Amino acid sequence: MRTTIAAASALSAACLCGAAGGGTPVPTYYIVYEPDLGCYPNYSFEVGDVDGDGRMECVVLDQSAKTLRAVRLDGSTAFEHELPNEGTWGTAIPAVADLDDDGRAEIVVPCPGADGAAGIVVIDGSGRPVATRGFRTTTKDAYGLTVPLLAAARLRPGSPPGIVAAITGGPVVALDGALREVWRVEGLRHDFGHEFHVSDFDGDGLDEVAFCTVDRIAGPGPAPPVGELLIVDHDGTVLLRRNVSDYAQETHFDDMAMADFEGTGTAQVLIEKGILIDLAGSVLWDVAATIGHGQWIAHTSDPGGKGRLIFISALWGEASTSALLTGGGRRLASTGDLAWTQLDPERLKGWRVLATRPHFISWSPGEAPELFVAEQACSPTSHACYKTEEFELRAFILDSAGGLLATVPFQDAQIEGYWYNGEVRSRVADVDGDGCDEVVFPRQSGHVMVLKKRR
């Protein structure tokens, strides 16, 4: 990365500890909460204050999306609720938002009706269903879900957030907080990508939504699947619709971000492969060949210039190809010189260490953003775990120029009976209500690592 990373171990040891009264070493970055989710959530994870006490709960669906659980920071269970879903890959993302403006977040999850028709249910902080909405189709996606995507979005001025839902084989529908339809987009392909990407990139206080719709998201078929990239405005206007293959030999994109990356005063769309396009779909720059399998994007204001600073995590390739970029696509650093963990090759033969979802975080208001990216283990056997294995991994904290600030070791494990696709949705939020953000990172053991910086 830079010369500061070449001496990674020595520097991290120096930066991980500060001095307390009397010279007692204390960690600068430390794990403050470790609640146990009881599963590895994969995509199916979100945080929100569901009981109104000013502290957020971890909201998780298990692999099948049958069990919804809200877990407090102290590890106690706020509630557990069973659902009639039949998912297979841990892809269903719960939407968590205060839909009725009462100061407590509700949880919206897929929930088929008694006849198997696609539907969603709103669950309050006590685990009680308070509203449902059906969509009159029984079609399932490749992972067994009838409503594969959900997200909270600001759709109307002065109103609480609403919900955007993708229905397998049918439309994308926007609903207000009372689940009344606001708009819908018809004529889409059968399946959908893994996430809605929601942001207010035009600064009007309302959200745009980017997503991919694809003939088939997984598994064999009679013909190669075709995918499309769509961006939809808060009122349902389609701003962009292009084939995924116009940009990469893929069926869908794993992550997208919308912002003024170049600092030109207009918004652009960043694709996780390392491609920036404008709202007409034209490519502005493309560095995909230097990143490998780009998977996730983190971005923040560029402290050294205009536009945004970008970090792209490479997942299934080498972790060292993850890159720090300017908003113009210029490479500032990579993770190649970080001290990535080497797992025991005899005990864990064929295992790999991969990068996780990254985050830029200002640990306290007004503080310069730092970059969090961690390690995860990948077993060579399958997505299922047949034998519990324990190991130690690391999280890296970098500055905005790519210099290593600290290495934070943590214990982790793959647990017999758990299921892993390596695509967990870590978050950044002020989960304990102290006015400062934390990194909320579900580990493979099912225990969430809530990481703080000592002020």
Side-chain angles (χ1 to χ4, degrees):
M1 195 171 257
R2 301 193 312 164
T3 54
T4 49
I5 290 187
S9 297
L11 179 61
S12 64
C15 291
L16 183 58
C17 293
T24 303
V26 295
T28 300
Y29 304 88
Y30 63 104
I31 301 168
V32 63
Y33 307 106
E34 297 183 90
D36 185 1
L37 302 176
C39 68
Y40 182 65
N42 300 299
Y43 275 99
S44 305
F45 179 81
E46 191 52 275
V47 296
D49 182 6
V50 302
D51 58 9
D53 67 351
R55 294 162 65 88
M56 293 188 183
E57 285 69 47
C58 298
V59 178
V60 60
L61 286 162
D62 67 356
Q63 177 194 339
S64 64
K66 288 181 179 295
T67 301
L68 171 67
R69 188 177 295 121
V71 180
R72 301 184 183 95
L73 296 177
D74 65 5
S76 61
T77 300
F79 71 81
E80 186 170 297
H81 184 87
E82 295 301 312
L83 300 157
N85 291 309
E86 297 179 354
T88 59
W89 267 64
T91 60
I93 298 174
V96 180
D98 185 1
L99 301 179
D100 56 7
D101 203 24
D102 68 349
R104 294 170 294 182
E106 286 75 43
I107 302 165
V108 185
V109 287
C111 182
D115 58 356
I120 58 176
V121 61
V122 180
I123 306 289
D124 70 12
S126 67
R128 181 174 63 94
V130 294
T132 60
R133 172 69 188 246
F135 298 107
R136 294 182 295 184
T137 173
T138 58
T139 305
K140 296 180 180 180
D141 74 355
Y143 300 132
L145 297 172
T146 54
V147 182
L149 298 186
L150 288 166
R154 295 166 295 177
L155 302 172
R156 289 177 169 169
S159 297
I163 294 294
V164 183
I167 296 91
T168 301
V172 166
V173 179
L175 308 167
D176 66 14
L179 303 190
R180 295 177 296 235
E181 185 170 318
V182 177
W183 53 257
R184 66 172 52 209
V185 178
E186 302 272 10
L188 304 179
R189 297 179 184 274
H190 189 274
D191 286 5
F192 292 86
H194 300 308
E195 297 182 72
F196 279 132
H197 309 283
V198 179
S199 65
D200 175 22
F201 69 72
D202 59 7
D204 65 357
L206 301 172
D207 287 324
E208 291 74 43
V209 183
F211 59 95
C212 287
T213 175
V214 59
D215 293 335
R216 187 177 64 258
I217 191 65
V226 174
E228 291 181 296
L229 162 64
L230 283 91
I231 301 176
V232 181
D233 207 348
H234 66 272
D235 61 0
T237 301
V238 176
L239 301 176
L240 177 68
R241 186 170 184 174
R242 290 287 295 269
N243 280 359
V244 169
S245 60
D246 290 350
Y247 307 106
Q249 295 305 305
E250 301 280 352
T251 61
H252 63 283
F253 297 125
D254 296 295
D255 200 6
M256 291 176 278
M258 299 172 284
D260 182 8
F261 290 99
E262 294 191 315
T264 61
T266 59
Q268 303 93 40
V269 181
L270 182 62
I271 297 166
E272 90 290 344
K273 302 305 174 195
I275 303 167
L276 190 76
I277 64 175
D278 62 23
L279 289 182
S282 300
V283 174
L284 301 174
W285 50 258
D286 182 345
V287 297
T290 69
I291 294 177
H293 187 97
Q295 184 79 19
W296 297 295
I297 298 165
H299 62 96
T300 189
S301 295
D302 189 343
K306 62 182 183 178
R308 309 290 289 176
L309 196 65
I310 299 161
F311 185 85
I312 297 179
S313 275
L315 176 59
W316 298 113
E318 292 296 325
S320 61
T321 62
S322 302
L324 182 70
L325 307 168
T326 68
R330 180 170 61 89
R331 191 183 189 91
L332 297 174
S334 77
T335 52
D337 290 333
L338 286 174
W340 293 92
T341 295
Q342 302 297 313
L343 297 173
D344 183 344
E346 295 184 3
R347 182 171 66 89
L348 300 172
K349 185 177 181 180
W351 286 57
R352 294 182 292 159
V353 172
L354 304 176
T356 63
R357 190 181 295 254
H359 300 281
F360 280 107
I361 175 172
S362 294
W363 298 96
S364 59
E367 185 177 350
E370 297 174 356
L371 175 67
F372 167 93
V373 63
E375 298 177 328
Q376 60 179 317
C378 180
S379 163
T381 54
S382 72
H383 292 289
C385 180
Y386 303 106
K387 177 187 176 184
T388 295
E389 296 283 4
E390 298 181 355
F391 34 80
E392 182 177 278
L393 296 174
R394 299 166 180 165
F396 303 104
I397 312 296
L398 311 177
D399 65 22
S400 60
L404 181 66
L405 296 174
T407 299
V408 182
F410 60 90
Q411 296 298 316
D412 209 348
Q414 287 201 1
I415 306 297
E416 181 179 355
Y418 284 14
W419 191 92
Y420 302 94
N421 69 15
E423 301 185 14
V424 72
R425 294 179 80 243
S426 49
R427 317 305 285 160
V428 167
D430 177 13
V431 291
D432 59 6
D434 70 348
C436 296
D437 281 345
E438 295 85 33
V439 174
V440 186
F441 178 76
R443 298 184 303 220
Q444 293 186 334
S445 64
H447 289 77
V448 178
M449 177 172 71
V450 180
L451 189 69
K452 275 185 175 292
K453 181 179 181 181
R454 193 174 302 280
R455 302 192 299 278

